[in-house]
């Protein structure tokens, strides 16, 4: 059966490539989805790529992932640093999650060093810009045993 991976992006990531390119790079979210779909095709897997600016929609999407996806790659954006709701949702679904960030959150402001996702994720990739997305696909596939 073809493995399905959910790539879920949080608030403001729809603005990528349009503002603050010095922090997040020139790549748009559509460019990143194309990178992910190319990686998925090379690995023979299915990738569902989504974005929402709403915490509750992200929680609902995580709940709905149970039984549908073998793994999740989550760039929760700023909710990474605030959301107990996302942390609890990840804990409840029994689907492995790789935490992903474009920037190195540990080399930025103090408040970005705290992640509510990290304790419930299988691992974290950050600081590699858009290239982190295909790296995260490799990481989740290795974790679930199809790497
Ligand atoms: O580095 C990452 O991927 C982040 O998750 C991005 C979030 C930030 O709050 C996290 O600390 C780290 C912000 C995404 C906002 O993206 C923008 C893109 C263009 C213009 C403005 C914001």
């Amino acid at each position: 059966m073809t493995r399905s991976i959910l790539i879920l992006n949080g608030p403001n990531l729809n603005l990528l490539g349009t503002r603050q390119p010095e922090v997040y790079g020139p790549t748009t979210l559509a460019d990143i989805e194309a990178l992910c779909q190319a990686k998925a095709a090379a690995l023979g897997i299915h990738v569902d790529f989504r974005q929402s600016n709403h915490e509750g929609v992200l929680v609902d999407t995580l709940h709905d992932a149970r039984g549908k996806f073998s793994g999740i790659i989550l760039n929760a954006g700023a909710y990474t640093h605030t959301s107990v709701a996302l942390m609890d949702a990840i804990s409840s679904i029994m689907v492995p999650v790789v935490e992903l960030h474009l920037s190195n959150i540990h080399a930025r402001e103090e408040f970005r060093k705290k992640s509510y996702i990290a304790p419930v994720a299988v691992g974290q990739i950050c600081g590699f810009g858009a290239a982190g997305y295909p790296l995260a696909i490799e990481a989740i596939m290795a974790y679930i045993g199809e790497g």
Side-chain angles (χ1 to χ4, degrees):
M1 198 182 77
T2 305
R3 292 278 202 181
S4 288
I5 301 298
L6 172 65
I7 303 182
L8 186 56
N9 295 281
N12 297 309
L13 286 159
N14 54 310
L15 298 178
L16 278 179
T18 65
R19 292 171 216 168
Q20 289 184 260
E22 69 287 358
V23 181
Y24 298 114
T27 313
T28 66
L29 199 61
D31 295 333
I32 291 177
E33 176 169 9
L35 271 180
C36 292
Q37 295 298 355
K39 185 73 181 177
L43 295 176
I45 61 169
H46 176 262
V47 157
D48 199 338
F49 193 93
R50 299 194 209 164
Q51 188 272 333
S52 176
N53 292 320
H54 305 279
E55 189 175 16
V57 172
L58 295 169
V59 169
D60 286 343
T61 304
L62 288 168
H63 290 175
D64 289 346
R66 194 166 184 187
K68 293 185 186 150
F69 296 98
S70 304
I72 300 170
I73 296 163
L74 175 63
N75 184 347
Y79 289 140
T80 301
H81 318 297
T82 62
S83 182
V84 177
L86 286 179
M87 180 176 75
D88 287 348
I90 293 166
S91 297
S92 73
I93 56 174
M94 307 296 288
V95 181
V97 171
V98 168
E99 179 182 2
L100 175 66
H101 300 283
L102 294 154
S103 62
N104 180 354
I105 57 172
H106 305 286
R108 299 183 63 193
E109 302 96 325
E110 275 305 309
F111 70 86
R112 291 188 207 274
K113 294 178 183 170
K114 166 75 182 173
S115 169
Y116 283 91
I117 310 301
V120 290
V122 297
Q124 183 189 74
I125 294 173
C126 70
F128 295 100
Y133 281 75
L135 288 173
I137 294 174
E138 283 184 27
I140 196 74
M141 293 308 289
Y143 182 83
I144 63 181
E146 302 267 327

